[in-house]
Amino acid sequence: MKIQELADKMGLTIHTIRYYEKEGLLDERHVTREHNNYRSYSDEAVARLKLIKKFQSIGCSLAELKEALQDHDTNARTNQQIIEWILHKKHEIERKKEEYDQMLVTLNWMLEYRTLLISDPQKAHVMLKAWQEQQSGH
């Protein structure tokens, strides 16, 4: 299939597919050149792009993605090594979730404070004072 058909099928842009190819995520198993130099993508390219999307959905960086695909292709890691990688990735995501939760707490506080500035400036002042005391450790 041609690149536009693959892009449409996978919900990706042509640019993204070419980038994956340039980065070595798609290789001769996935894409060949025709006589007119057009790229022709195999059904394996669809499966590969689905796998790439799966790894991206769990927050893999490009380096992690390359490593995971190489491991997938060569079957080089033991099951225990894969379990350890999964646990590491899980802990990384849990840490990021805690950071996002803290960001939401801060944004909610800011929203409440700014809303109170409009509806009840005195209460906003008390809220700000309480926050300042909390920050200074009193």
Side-chain angles (χ1 to χ4, degrees):
M1 77 185 82
K2 300 286 182 256
I3 194 167
Q4 186 64 60
E5 183 182 349
L6 180 62
D8 293 344
K9 186 173 194 168
M10 296 304 302
L12 298 169
T13 65
I14 291 172
H15 173 77
T16 299
I17 293 170
R18 286 191 178 138
Y19 175 75
Y20 290 158
E21 202 176 329
K22 181 178 140 273
E23 290 296 323
L25 303 178
L26 297 172
D27 59 29
E28 65 278 350
R29 295 168 294 171
H30 312 107
V31 60
T32 55
R33 292 282 184 165
E34 296 179 358
H35 301 303
N36 56 10
N37 211 27
Y38 287 166
R39 293 173 173 93
S40 179
Y41 295 86
S42 67
D43 290 337
E44 280 191 43
V46 173
R48 182 65 156 210
L49 290 171
K50 285 179 181 176
L51 188 58
I52 289 169
K53 283 180 150 189
K54 180 188 265 187
F55 279 109
Q56 286 178 326
S57 75
I58 60 169
C60 285
S61 65
L62 181 60
E64 288 174 317
L65 183 57
K66 285 180 178 182
E67 186 178 331
L69 290 174
Q70 183 179 8
D71 289 343
H72 177 266
D73 293 343
T74 61
N75 214 7
R77 287 192 186 186
T78 66
N79 193 49
Q80 187 59 42
Q81 289 172 316
I82 294 169
I83 289 170
E84 289 169 11
W85 181 86
I86 292 168
L87 286 170
H88 173 75
K89 196 68 186 167
K90 186 175 176 252
H91 291 303
E92 180 183 309
I93 291 168
E94 287 168 346
R95 188 181 71 252
K96 286 180 183 177
K97 182 185 177 298
E98 289 172 7
E99 291 174 12
Y100 284 128
D101 287 345
Q102 187 56 50
M103 288 178 201
L104 285 171
V105 166
T106 301
L107 287 169
N108 285 331
W109 184 93
M110 292 168 66
L111 183 60
E112 183 181 356
Y113 172 73
R114 289 292 167 174
T115 303
L116 281 173
L117 279 176
I118 297 167
S119 63
D120 190 346
Q122 182 59 37
K123 193 172 181 182
H125 178 72
V126 170
M127 184 180 173
L128 180 60
K129 199 154 184 70
W131 178 79
Q132 288 171 335
E133 287 175 7
Q134 178 187 13
Q135 296 303 307
S136 65
H138 293 123

